Amino acid sequence: MLLQLKNIKKYFPIAGGFLKAPTRFVKAVNDINLDILAGENISLVGESGCGKTTLARLVMLLMPLDSGSIIFDGQDITKFSPRELRNYRKNVQLVFQDPYSSLDPRFTIRRVMKEAMTLDVKNYKSESDKEARIEELLRAVGLKAEMLNRYPHEFSGGERQRIAIARSLVLNPKLLILDEAVSSLDVIIQEQIIQLLKKLQQDFGLTYLFISHNLKVVRKISHKIAVMYRGKIVELAKTDELFKNPLHPYTKELLSAAINYKSILRDKDIDVSKRTELIEKIPGHFVLIN
Amino acid sequence: MAENLLSIKNLTVTVNDINIEKKLINDISLEIPALSIVALVGGSGSGKTTTGLSILRLLPPALKISQGEIIFSGINILEKTEDQMRGLRGKEIGMVFQEPLVAFNPVFSVGYQINEVLECHTTLNRQLRQARILDLLQRVGIDDPKRVAQNYPHQLSGGLRQRVMIAQAIAASPKLIIADEPTSNLDVTLQAKIMDLFRTLRKELNLSILLITHDLGLVSHLADQVVVMQQGKVVEAGATDQVLTHPKHVYTQQLIETVKI
Ligand SMILES: Nc1ncnc2c1ncn2[C@@H]1O[C@H](COP(=O)(O)OP(=O)(O)OP(=O)(O)O)[C@@H](O)[C@H]1O
Ligand SMILES: Nc1ncnc2c1ncn2[C@@H]1O[C@H](COP(=O)(O)OP(=O)(O)OP(=O)(O)O)[C@@H](O)[C@H]1O
Ligand SMILES: [Mg+2]
Ligand SMILES: [Mg+2]
């Protein structure tokens, strides 16, 4: 087991007004359990605003959990010493949904990449080690070495997204979280990135948590899919099984929308607010039921 | 033939990259007939956003329009003063930016920012503006508009920000919307909702749309015409059915083939 999320929660207060204590919350991540095996490729899909990015940020320790625990390689990450934390940040990388905000505007891309390399002095001893690796990574995402002296704002949206992907690979992480990382790419580059990710998985056993709205890409790339809805995981199964045999009402809705390209009017609200549990309906296929 | 709402003629945009004059946009022409939805597709880095920003004259300082004309409603945009442009942006031409987080001001709530557009470009009073903001947010598929309006950009999810951006772009009922990857962070259900909204607005407001996207599914469902760009040039243009079923240029063929994998 590489990563284990145990009953994790994150609520955001909704401002009730001046001087008033908040009484309502956005339950962004509401009691989630999820196990990710080493070398596994798991996708997280679900409605806009259901809590996917929040989950990713929690795993990255970018904000504190309200409750629950996160276990990485057998250790509770919230109890890490500064040294262990540095090591963790090397092993787990996140490609942000908004690449712009994660690239320092004052640095050229060369500097951005080199900055990331300072965490790993063993692998990057000399300047030429660094340069060679930077060029290799840039090529892998379809960019050219001559772009290295440019600043983040001097690129197109899709190019920035690819720079963020290249940077996330600098430290050879064990777990890579990709948050809508191919959403701004044309299909040809998208395909190139998918092949790159597959190859890295084969060669180095990289583990992915892939967050995406693009079900076509998800289907191509993942072993397992977790479906999230209003802060909860409502279904979890192997990719083929999920597409063949969706069990939860939200999953059914999502998959049929993908086929018809139509917005669906819900005749009945799908309620997940009550005490619910993920039940293994069919071996390896879990669904949330009341 | 319908009159063109927008026509771009022989536009060239250059940048000085390490002392070499580079053409990011190389002599492109395109037309948007009134009431039509024109899709602009092409590879990452081919110049789509640059084309969109040229229309609003919002190019970063390093980029220069070195040649060409951009005619909107019979007037040449490139001859307008900056003051006149401010009157046009938001009011006549709405923009959905590719990266909403950058486009929004981080220190104001998103409701405040939509309100600014309404205050500048409509005669609605405060109360009506507030009702309009909530209505706009609901139209882009947000079920808790009050909460979202109060939030700052960083407190919203990627898809929420994208939809708020769309709400802001349509707030002052413009004649043209430039939508740069407007649904890249939305699930299929919401994508369909936004497409329905665009179709409805076209009827309601006589709106035209320049839809910049890499999603050929979206193009086939929404666009009347397609313009294909590659490395700063227009390589193919025509009616959507025609281009998608009988692509002429190799690059378009390649795009369509890749979608099928
Ligand atoms: N810092 C914050 N403060 C307040 N609310 C927040 C904050 N971060 C996220 N939220 C809210 O929590 C909910 C979940 O957001 P999150 O970004 O996790 O969604 P998501 O599943 O990634 O959606 P999308 O697919 O649109 O990116 C949203 O309603 C969002 O507005
Ligand atoms: N300041 C600059 N110096 C050099 N090149 C630049 C500069 N700004 C932009 N470019 C280049 O201009 C090209 C066109 O960029 P643009 O943002 O228009 O592409 P795009 O078609 O919108 O791509 P995407 O689909 O990735 O968003 C890109 O290759 C980009 O690298
Ligand atoms: Mg998100
Ligand atoms: Mg762009």
Side-chain angles (χ1 to χ4, degrees):
Chain A
M1 191 93 59
L2 187 64
L3 185 78
Q4 210 174 4
L5 310 182
K6 285 186 174 170
N7 304 97
I8 64 168
K9 266 191 198 174
K10 185 75 191 179
Y11 290 6
F12 297 108
I14 299 173
F18 190 54
L19 290 182
K20 256 191 267 167
T23 51
R24 294 195 309 131
F25 294 86
V26 176
K27 297 176 180 173
V29 171
N30 194 3
D31 199 11
I32 281 188
N33 288 294
L34 183 68
D35 295 343
I36 302 179
L37 303 175
E40 187 171 57
N41 196 336
I42 184 160
S43 282
L44 188 60
V45 302
E47 254 188 341
S48 167
C50 72
K52 304 178 295 295
T53 298
T54 305
L55 186 144
R57 297 177 70 95
L58 289 172
V59 173
M60 294 306 293
L61 286 170
L62 292 171
M63 52 189 175
L65 291 166
D66 288 353
S67 64
S69 55
I70 299 177
I71 314 291
F72 182 78
D73 249 349
Q75 280 182 298
D76 187 339
I77 67 167
T78 57
K79 303 206 169 81
F80 274 161
S81 68
R83 215 181 114 234
E84 288 170 320
L85 200 61
R86 254 203 315 281
N87 205 29
Y88 180 69
R89 296 218 191 277
K90 214 169 75 188
N91 285 328
V92 183
Q93 291 284 314
L94 168 65
V95 178
F96 286 82
Q97 190 168 9
D98 301 274
Y100 217 153
S101 55
S102 70
L103 299 170
D104 194 318
R106 299 165 304 161
F107 294 166
T108 63
I109 300 314
R110 171 175 278 113
R111 177 90 188 271
V112 164
M113 301 284 277
K114 283 196 178 161
E115 208 71 17
M117 288 172 167
T118 53
L119 270 176
D120 186 357
V121 279
K122 262 197 242 121
N123 268 311
Y124 300 112
K125 287 199 185 76
S126 69
E127 280 300 301
S128 63
D129 284 352
K130 292 182 187 168
E131 286 291 331
R133 178 77 170 137
I134 291 174
E135 285 188 22
E136 179 193 9
L137 284 171
L138 228 57
R139 241 196 331 273
V141 296
L143 297 174
K144 297 189 200 94
E146 68 202 44
M147 296 174 163
L148 278 168
N149 287 328
R150 284 177 12 203
Y151 292 87
H153 71 270
E154 300 175 323
F155 288 91
S156 78
E159 287 166 348
R160 266 193 291 276
Q161 212 163 35
R162 287 181 275 159
I163 291 165
I165 294 174
R167 184 187 54 178
S168 75
L169 295 171
V170 159
L171 293 171
N172 306 311
K174 286 188 187 160
L175 173 65
L176 181 56
I177 308 177
L178 297 135
D179 194 354
E180 297 290 354
V182 297
S183 65
S184 285
L185 302 179
D186 65 86
V187 282
I188 295 170
I189 296 287
Q190 210 171 59
E191 190 58 31
Q192 182 180 342
I193 300 285
I194 291 170
Q195 293 312 325
L196 170 71
L197 294 177
K198 279 190 174 161
K199 185 156 189 329
L200 289 170
Q201 187 151 48
Q202 275 165 15
D203 296 354
F204 305 106
L206 200 57
T207 306
Y208 298 113
L209 177 60
F210 194 81
I211 300 173
S212 177
H213 286 299
N214 190 332
L215 292 179
K216 223 178 136 184
V217 174
V218 164
R219 191 169 194 170
K220 251 190 250 179
I221 197 167
S222 42
H223 304 136
K224 262 191 209 161
I225 298 175
V227 183
M228 201 169 160
Y229 179 74
R230 296 197 188 159
K232 297 197 175 181
I233 287 181
V234 296
E235 190 158 355
L236 173 73
K238 288 230 167 74
T239 305
D240 285 342
E241 165 70 11
L242 191 95
F243 274 95
K244 249 187 275 160
N245 187 23
L247 296 175
H248 194 273
Y250 175 68
T251 315
K252 288 182 184 166
E253 181 186 303
L254 183 72
L255 297 185
S256 66
I259 294 162
N260 304 323
Y261 232 105
K262 275 211 193 82
S263 61
I264 292 181
L265 290 172
R266 266 179 212 156
D267 42 2
K268 224 173 76 204
D269 192 51
I270 302 169
D271 187 11
V272 291
S273 61
K274 299 205 187 62
R275 260 196 90 79
T276 43
E277 239 179 310
L278 263 185
I279 303 283
E280 189 164 10
K281 262 275 175 100
I282 299 165
H285 190 154
F286 297 81
V287 63
L288 192 77
I289 48 173
N290 290 13
Chain B
M1 220 191 100
E3 201 178 311
N4 288 327
L5 178 66
L6 181 90
S7 66
I8 297 179
K9 290 180 192 157
N10 306 103
L11 181 73
T12 298
V13 177
T14 56
V15 70
N16 212 336
D17 193 16
I18 344 172
N19 294 321
I20 301 166
E21 186 95 319
K22 221 173 62 176
K23 288 183 178 164
L24 300 184
I25 303 283
N26 192 348
D27 194 23
I28 68 163
S29 297
L30 71 88
E31 274 156 15
I32 304 180
L35 302 178
S36 69
I37 300 178
V38 176
L40 184 56
V41 303
S44 172
S46 60
K48 304 179 297 293
T49 298
T50 307
T51 303
L53 294 178
S54 301
I55 299 169
L56 285 165
R57 294 238 321 260
L58 284 177
L59 289 174
L63 273 54
K64 297 266 170 331
I65 296 179
S66 63
Q67 179 202 312
E69 271 181 1
I70 300 176
I71 313 287
F72 174 74
S73 286
I75 45 170
N76 189 352
I77 282 189
L78 302 183
E79 286 166 1
K80 292 251 154 192
T81 64
E82 184 49 35
D83 242 12
Q84 290 171 317
M85 281 314 292
R86 266 195 290 273
L88 215 65
R89 290 181 201 129
K91 172 91 185 90
E92 301 280 327
I93 308 176
M95 178 84 195
V96 180
F97 291 93
Q98 187 173 7
E99 287 158 292
L101 193 58
V102 192
F104 279 119
N105 188 330
V107 304
F108 296 112
S109 72
V110 294
Y112 180 93
Q113 298 183 55
I114 301 179
N115 183 55
E116 274 202 319
V117 174
L118 294 174
E119 222 180 323
C120 267
H121 298 304
T122 68
T123 53
L124 300 176
N125 68 24
R126 199 183 132 81
Q127 217 176 1
L128 288 173
R129 286 201 303 270
Q130 253 173 12
R132 173 115 173 108
I133 290 170
L134 297 182
D135 176 55
L136 283 164
L137 292 177
Q138 248 155 358
R139 291 190 79 172
V140 294
I142 294 174
D143 354 292
D144 49 351
K146 274 208 180 105
R147 188 265 299 187
V148 168
Q150 280 178 21
N151 275 159
Y152 293 84
H154 75 271
Q155 295 177 312
L156 296 176
S157 79
L160 280 168
R161 274 196 292 269
Q162 202 158 36
R163 284 178 282 158
V164 173
M165 181 105 259
I166 295 171
Q168 190 187 38
I170 62 176
S173 312
K175 285 274 162 288
L176 174 69
I177 284 186
I178 302 167
D180 197 351
E181 301 286 359
T183 63
S184 61
N185 281 316
L186 301 181
D187 54 82
V188 214
T189 315
L190 281 171
Q191 269 185 28
K193 181 149 193 137
I194 297 299
M195 286 195 279
D196 288 344
L197 175 69
F198 281 164
R199 285 196 204 96
T200 313
L201 289 175
R202 167 156 66 165
K203 282 202 211 104
E204 265 177 30
L205 307 173
N206 296 334
L207 179 76
S208 298
I209 300 170
L210 178 63
L211 177 71
I212 300 175
T213 182
H214 60 84
D215 185 343
L216 293 183
L218 197 67
V219 171
S220 71
H221 282 80
L222 198 62
D224 308 308
Q225 292 182 34
V226 190
V227 177
V228 186
M229 280 185 81
Q230 189 190 23
Q231 293 179 6
K233 289 196 177 125
V234 169
V235 294
E236 182 158 4
T240 305
D241 298 346
Q242 192 64 31
V243 174
L244 292 187
T245 50
H246 302 289
K248 296 226 161 54
H249 194 273
V250 204
Y251 180 70
T252 322
Q253 289 165 356
Q254 206 186 340
L255 269 184
I256 293 168
E257 276 312 305
T258 318
V259 177
K260 291 183 191 149
I261 299 176

